[in-house]
């Protein structure tokens, strides 16, 4: 249970806020930032939104007023000690801010975290975390409803809907409850058009992204006695050939789970420095635990980890083998 009263008093008793989210932000990350910024604006508060990563191009429509800034140490470092509150949204490990982590950790100001992920690190003064929520923006919705801190209107409903839609895989993942559909209905009554939001996020891709998906699908391999592990790889060469970028790869991993019998889907993505792995599963095979073995994290069915030193081609067989162990341990 989240202590919304405390969250409300943190907001009402302070004036200047710095909001941030995790590296490679998704629609829940950006949508939650924009929603919180709107709440604070309605209350006459001053807000900065500063992120490690640039906002992916398909999510820029959520930031209509172009308020989100990409972190530049020279320009933004001082803000971490000028505001009253630092607000971490949609993540709970400080290293997920990458280049910003030190400025955040070293600030003497009040720090809070609003999130729905497991395995939290204690890096803030107040944690508002509940893994029962489908999205961080779902928590924000509940916060507005339970406290009445501001009126829910179309502008607020828009980023909240976008965030919930994407974090539930368009209303199909486990936390898609009848309650959540009632919330969606309420957001629709405020004027949200589902097809419009979906089109902006998923159906306005650059050709390069679709080509990169082609390369990922081309690489798909099955592993294990019963072909229950599906994994794909994207190398730097694939990125160059397709002219793709890291944020293009969001949701690619789900295609490995769309193959008959596959229970664990993996996507290995080579980055300009190091590589990342996306872990997905069906049922009760805990991908957050598997990812945690490599210093990553996430949820039961969706997790990730980043590798800075190791070579991707060396680690693929090790990680796939480890995934097989999880299959043996938790499957059935
Ligand atoms: P994705 O595979 O889409 O990047 O991430 C899936 C989930 O795993 C997300 O909910 C995200 O929060 C979590 N996750 C991804 N990468 C990392 C990581 O490097 N560290 C941690 N702690 N969590 C991650
Ligand atoms: Mn989220």
């Amino acid at each position: 249970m989240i202590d919304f009263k405390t969250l409300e008093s943190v907001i009402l008793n302070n004036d200047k806020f710095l909001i941030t989210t995790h590296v490679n932000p998704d629609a829940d990350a950006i949508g939650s930032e924009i929603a919180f910024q709107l709440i604070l604006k309605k209350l006459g508060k001053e807000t900065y939104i500063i992120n490690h990563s640039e906002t992916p191009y398909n999510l820029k429509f959520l930031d209509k007023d172009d308020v989100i800034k990409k972190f530049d140490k020279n320009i933004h470092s001082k803000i971490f000690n000028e505001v009253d509150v630092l607000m971490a949204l949609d993540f709970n490990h400080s290293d997920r801010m990458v280049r910003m982590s030190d400025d955040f950790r070293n600030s003497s100001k009040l720090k809070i975290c609003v999130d729905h992920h497991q395995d939290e690190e204690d890096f803030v003064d107040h944690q508002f975390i509940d893994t029962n929520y489908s999205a961080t923006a779902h928590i924000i919705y509940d916060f507005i409803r339970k406290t009445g801190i501001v009126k829910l209107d179309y502008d607020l409903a828009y980023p909240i809907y976008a965030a919930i839609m994407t974090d539930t895989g368009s209303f199909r993942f486990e936390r898609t409850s009848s309650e959540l559909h009632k919330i969606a209905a309420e957001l629709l009554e405020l004027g949200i058009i589902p097809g419009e939001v979906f089109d902006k996020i998923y159906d306005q891709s650059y050709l390069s992204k679709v080509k990169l998906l082609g390369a990922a699908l081309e690489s798909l391999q099955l592993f294990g006695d019963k072909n229950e592990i599906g994994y794909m790889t994207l190398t730097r060469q694939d990125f160059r050939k397709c002219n793709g970028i890291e944020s293009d790869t969001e949701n690619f991993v789900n295609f490995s789970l769309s193959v008959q019998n596959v229970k664990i889907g993996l996507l290995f993505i080579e980055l300009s420095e190091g590589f990342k792995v996306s872990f997905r599963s069906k049922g009760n095979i805990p991908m957050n635990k598997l990812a945690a073995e490599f210093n990553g994290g996430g949820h039961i069915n969706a997790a990730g980890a980043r590798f800075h030193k190791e070579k991707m081609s060396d680690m693929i067989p090790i990680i796939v083998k480890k995934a097989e162990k999880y299959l043996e341990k938790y499957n059935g």
Side-chain angles (χ1 to χ4, degrees):
M1 277 291 279
I2 291 183
D3 179 1
F4 286 127
K5 277 281 153 214
T6 300
L7 180 56
E8 185 183 31
S9 66
V10 168
I11 288 172
L12 296 178
N13 294 329
N14 290 285
D15 294 317
K16 280 188 173 188
F17 296 79
L18 188 161
I19 300 175
T20 192
T21 190
H22 56 81
V23 54
N24 205 12
D26 54 15
D28 188 26
I30 300 294
S32 295
E33 293 188 308
I34 293 295
F36 238 116
Q37 187 254 343
L38 287 172
I39 294 172
L40 294 167
K41 197 170 152 190
K42 281 173 190 281
L43 296 167
K45 312 285 182 183
E46 200 178 321
T47 319
Y48 299 90
I49 309 181
I50 305 171
N51 295 338
H52 163 79
S53 310
E54 181 165 343
T55 305
Y57 64 84
N58 64 323
L59 301 179
K60 285 208 165 129
F61 74 100
L62 292 170
D63 181 17
K64 287 196 303 264
D65 299 325
D66 200 20
V67 289
I68 301 178
K69 302 294 173 221
K70 184 177 174 193
F71 178 65
D72 178 333
K73 203 167 179 65
N74 294 325
I75 301 172
H76 300 128
S77 231
K78 61 178 190 305
I79 299 175
F80 287 79
N81 283 301
E82 283 172 7
V83 295
D84 305 316
V85 180
L86 304 180
M87 192 184 275
L89 298 182
D90 199 42
F91 70 101
N92 57 42
H93 272 261
S94 58
D95 60 5
R96 303 267 289 142
M97 289 176 281
V98 195
R99 288 174 302 123
M100 284 176 52
S101 305
D102 286 343
D103 286 287
F104 192 102
R105 277 192 293 249
N106 296 337
S107 166
S108 59
K109 302 299 178 173
L110 187 73
K111 294 167 194 164
I112 68 169
C113 166
V114 182
D115 185 37
H116 67 131
H117 293 102
Q118 271 151 344
D119 307 320
E120 63 268 22
E121 170 199 337
D122 194 8
F123 74 108
V124 293
D125 300 293
H126 295 292
Q127 287 185 330
F128 303 100
I129 299 177
D130 188 339
T131 58
N132 292 312
Y133 283 90
S134 64
T136 299
H138 181 184
I139 300 176
I140 298 172
Y141 166 88
D142 233 21
F143 172 58
I144 296 170
R145 275 287 168 255
K146 296 220 164 103
T147 61
I149 189 162
V150 294
K151 191 170 173 298
L152 188 66
D153 58 12
Y154 174 80
D155 285 346
L156 258 174
Y158 205 108
I160 291 175
Y161 181 87
I164 292 175
M165 182 194 81
T166 51
D167 256 28
T168 57
S170 303
F171 300 98
R172 74 183 195 281
F173 295 157
E174 202 189 337
R175 288 187 180 73
T176 309
S177 58
S178 65
E179 206 47 55
L180 192 69
H181 273 291
K182 284 178 198 147
I183 293 172
E186 191 187 334
L187 301 175
L188 263 54
E189 274 163 25
L190 289 167
I192 302 303
I193 301 170
E196 179 195 311
V197 182
F198 187 97
D199 182 78
K200 284 191 163 134
I201 295 178
Y202 293 122
D203 288 343
Q204 293 293 334
S205 304
Y206 295 163
L207 182 62
S208 53
K209 173 176 174 168
V210 183
K211 295 281 186 200
L212 195 65
L213 173 61
L217 295 175
E218 191 68 46
S219 76
L220 178 61
Q221 297 195 49
L222 301 182
F223 183 83
D225 294 343
K226 294 189 244 157
N227 287 339
E228 287 175 322
I229 298 174
Y231 68 97
M232 302 189 283
T233 51
L234 282 172
T235 61
R236 289 322 291 164
Q237 199 189 347
D238 293 320
F239 279 95
R240 273 194 299 276
K241 207 170 69 191
C242 304
N243 201 17
I245 53 174
E246 186 193 342
S247 64
D248 286 339
T249 62
E250 211 204 317
N251 291 325
F252 284 10
V253 61
N254 294 320
F255 284 93
S256 52
L257 277 187
S258 71
V259 180
Q260 199 175 39
N261 296 329
V262 170
K263 304 234 168 49
I264 294 182
L266 306 173
L267 172 62
F268 296 89
I269 303 168
E270 199 174 15
L271 306 171
S272 42
E273 279 171 37
F275 69 100
K276 73 168 270 190
V277 187
S278 285
F279 301 86
R280 298 291 186 274
S281 69
K282 287 184 178 171
N284 294 322
I285 313 169
M287 291 299 101
N288 51 328
K289 289 199 178 142
L290 178 55
E293 302 215 18
F294 304 101
N295 295 318
H299 317 262
I300 284 197
N301 297 127
R306 276 171 191 262
F307 296 77
H308 303 282
K309 294 192 191 78
E310 301 87 339
K311 228 175 117 193
M312 185 165 90
S313 53
D314 293 341
M315 290 304 291
I316 289 175
I318 296 169
I319 296 169
V320 172
K321 272 270 172 217
K322 192 64 122 181
E324 192 182 29
K325 291 262 176 295
Y326 273 69
L327 204 56
E328 284 161 11
K329 184 164 176 197
Y330 293 96
N331 190 21

